[in-house]
Amino acid sequence: MSVGRVTYCTQFDSQYLARGLAMLRSLCRYDRAGSIRILALDELCGTIVREVFAGQVEVVSKEALVDGDGALRRCRDTRSDWEFYATLKPAFLHDTVSRKPYGGRVAYIDADTWFYAPPDDVWSEIGSASIGLSPHSFSEEHLSQRRYGVYNAGFLCFRANETALRCLREWRSDCLGWCGESPTADGRFMNQGYLNSWPARFAGVHVIQHPGYNLAPWNVNGRRLERFGRRMLVDGQPLVFYHFSQTHRDAAGNWYSLQDYFSRQRSLVIEEIYQPYVSAVEDEGLLLLRQSGFTGRNSVRPVTIGPDAICVNPRAPRSGMVPGAGLEPALSLRKNGF
């Protein structure tokens, strides 16, 4: 593997499979040269991802990672699934970065994201830095969410070198010690709060400035969005990927953002960002239902869709459809032409 080839890694389970597949297809659409490494958090997820991508991605099973790590085994039964999944991330990233040649590039991306443009510019911006951090860049009305961390652990970049490996070893140790679901007074929250100290703790940390990477509910209200031909621009730069955190589906097939995070540009955000994404996830869910008997549109994290939630697909065009009744799939689970 050449130093210049980016390895993208992510992790998800079968409950999150429709989102994970949608993200991977969007990534492959815009970067066919990169390699992909997935931590499958249950056996069914690994089986289907291997079938869909037919050897074009590397699938690592949760058992393979945990069985070789006594410390992970010991904490497995003392944490919720969500906490344990968060604990696995630095161990998986350390394993991935350690396999790259010196200077090689690794990007971690959460499964609830979707790409709208090629992810090229970020590496030019990072340059020779060992670690790239994505700031939350909270919009003014969401500054109270700083208790969840200055940086977002859903997008991280590493150059394979000793600084990055030391960072990941220490992050793994931190998460093994504590990885709880509630933010603490000293700034800890899951695996994410530990990122706060990285710029002071490690040399060669770059805070990513490009506004089109990791656009998300918590920062979109502070950005200027506009259509430019078939693209979306964020503060004049291309929207590369959006992070659909706090986006969930009800039993009737309606998708919601759990809060009205994007009130200033609601129509544009819903029509140009959310609706194409939820349509892609619905397609994946229907294909999974037809071919594997489940939709993969759930989550291990308990979710309540409350009165402040905003419906992002008010017409719910696929809601209530009988699988196979007049809707031809745009994709096939058993075709790897992504």
Side-chain angles (χ1 to χ4, degrees), residues 7-25:
T7 295
Y8 300 96
C9 53
T10 190
Q11 62 184 55
F12 50 90
D13 63 7
S14 58
Q15 294 191 68
Y16 228 62
L17 191 55
R19 303 181 208 224
L21 293 175
M23 185 277 280
L24 292 173
R25 293 196 204 265

Side-chain angles (χ1 to χ4, degrees), residues 126-133 157-159 161 163-164 166 198-199 201-207:
I126 289 171
S128 61
S130 300
I131 301 162
L133 287 177
C157 298
F158 298 92
R159 294 266 187 190
N161 58 34
T163 299
R166 181 169 69 88
W198 286 10
R201 193 169 163 186
F202 305 105
V205 176
H206 175 83
V207 178

Side-chain angles (χ1 to χ4, degrees), residues 69 89-91 93-95 97-98 131 158 161-177 198 201-202:
D69 191 322
K89 185 186 291 187
L93 265 168
H94 183 272
D95 182 73
V97 172
S98 68
I131 301 162
F158 298 92
N161 58 34
E162 183 50 44
T163 299
L165 289 171
R166 181 169 69 88
C167 170
L168 290 168
R169 285 194 299 269
E170 293 186 15
W171 190 27
R172 171 187 171 276
S173 179
D174 288 338
C175 292
L176 286 169
W198 286 10
R201 193 169 163 186
F202 305 105

Side-chain angles (χ1 to χ4, degrees), residues 3-8 100-101 103-107 120 123 158-160:
V3 170
R5 191 180 185 193
V6 180
T7 295
Y8 300 96
K100 293 284 284 185
R105 300 176 294 174
V106 173
D120 300 329
W123 295 105
F158 298 92
R159 294 266 187 190

